[in-house]
Structures are given as C-alpha cells and as structure tokens.
Amino acid sequence: MTHCLPIRVYYEDTDMAGIVYYANYLRYIERARSDWVREIGIDQLEMKSDGVVFAVRRVEADYLMPAVFDDLLEVRTWPTSISPARMVMRQDVMRGDQLLFQAVVTIVCINSAGKPCRLPAKLRSIPVRAAD
C-alpha cells in the first residue's frame, strides 16, 4: 500500500539558491505520514486523548536532486516493516519519474510519560512492502 501526496513548491520553501531548503523535505514527509495514517483510519487526536502519540525515532535521508520553486512533487510513503514496537517506512519525494529525496523513517509510540508503548493494533496488521 503506497500512499501518494502531491506537494507544490512555494517560494517560502526555497533558500537563497532558489532550491528547496533541506529541512523542508522533512516537513513534506511528515505531512505525507500524517495523511497516510489518517487514510488508513487511525485518529491521532483520539490516540492522544488515550495518552499515546507517534514519535520519530530515526531518520536516514538522502538528498539526490534539487527541487525548485513551482515544482509539483509527489511524496510516496509505504511501510517496509512493522513490529509491535516500531514501524519503518520508506518515503520518496518524486518530480515526475525523478527521485529527488528518499528517507527511511522509524516510528514508535510513546505514552504521556514519554515511555515506549505498543503501536495501535490497526497499524500492526497492515501489509508491508520491501524498500525496493
């Protein structure tokens, strides 16, 4: 199950060189993960009211090609492994068929005291796809 989120590059996303500022890719992939979670039926506000939230444990990122103002990008997101305690996701930022950025993100859940806890059951039961 690959989720796709379109993103338009705005002037505010770029740096002095006119390319997307590196940290904005992290914003793009965060939006895509949030959208994916919503799409599979997990309500993060409900999770939070139950005292559980998602947290990024690790990000491994590769910046391959620059995006520029007015580019139409697509963030592709899919889980590559899921255990009771963590989920690893691959996220690619594409411009057409060009891979611009890729990340492997490890997600965990923590409780209101900041202690690790299990991922939601609905999440633990979804299919995964190899990272390619």
Side-chain angles (χ1 to χ4, degrees):
M1 165 195 246
T2 300
H3 175 270
C4 298
L5 179 71
I7 301 272
R8 175 71 65 185
V9 175
Y10 294 102
Y11 181 74
E12 68 186 18
D13 296 327
T14 62
D15 62 15
M16 289 183 65
I19 62 176
V20 171
Y21 182 65
Y22 79 96
N24 286 328
Y25 288 97
L26 299 177
R27 293 175 190 260
Y28 298 162
I29 65 174
E30 176 69 32
R31 287 180 208 160
R33 284 193 311 275
S34 293
D35 203 56
W36 176 79
V37 166
R38 183 181 305 106
E39 188 175 282
I40 65 169
I42 295 176
D43 184 337
Q44 291 190 74
L45 291 175
E46 185 177 307
M47 281 178 57
K48 185 177 179 185
S49 70
D50 292 338
V52 177
V53 296
F54 290 115
V56 172
R57 167 93 171 55
R58 183 171 195 269
V59 175
E60 180 181 341
D62 289 310
Y63 299 85
L64 305 169
M65 296 178 63
V68 297
F69 172 72
D70 209 35
D71 276 351
L72 181 59
L73 309 177
E74 181 179 73
V75 182
R76 298 178 184 167
T77 302
W78 68 93
T80 60
S81 71
I82 299 175
S83 73
R86 74 179 54 141
M87 173 175 59
V88 178
M89 305 188 82
R90 168 77 178 265
Q91 294 190 271
D92 292 347
V93 177
M94 308 291 295
R95 180 180 52 223
D97 61 354
Q98 294 179 311
L99 178 61
L100 306 183
F101 172 89
Q102 64 184 22
V104 177
V105 183
T106 302
I107 304 294
V108 298
C109 281
I110 57 175
N111 63 23
S112 55
K115 302 290 184 189
C117 57
R118 292 172 69 87
L119 295 173
K122 183 180 268 187
L123 193 56
R124 294 191 313 263
S125 66
I126 64 168
V128 298
R129 184 183 122 203
D132 293 337

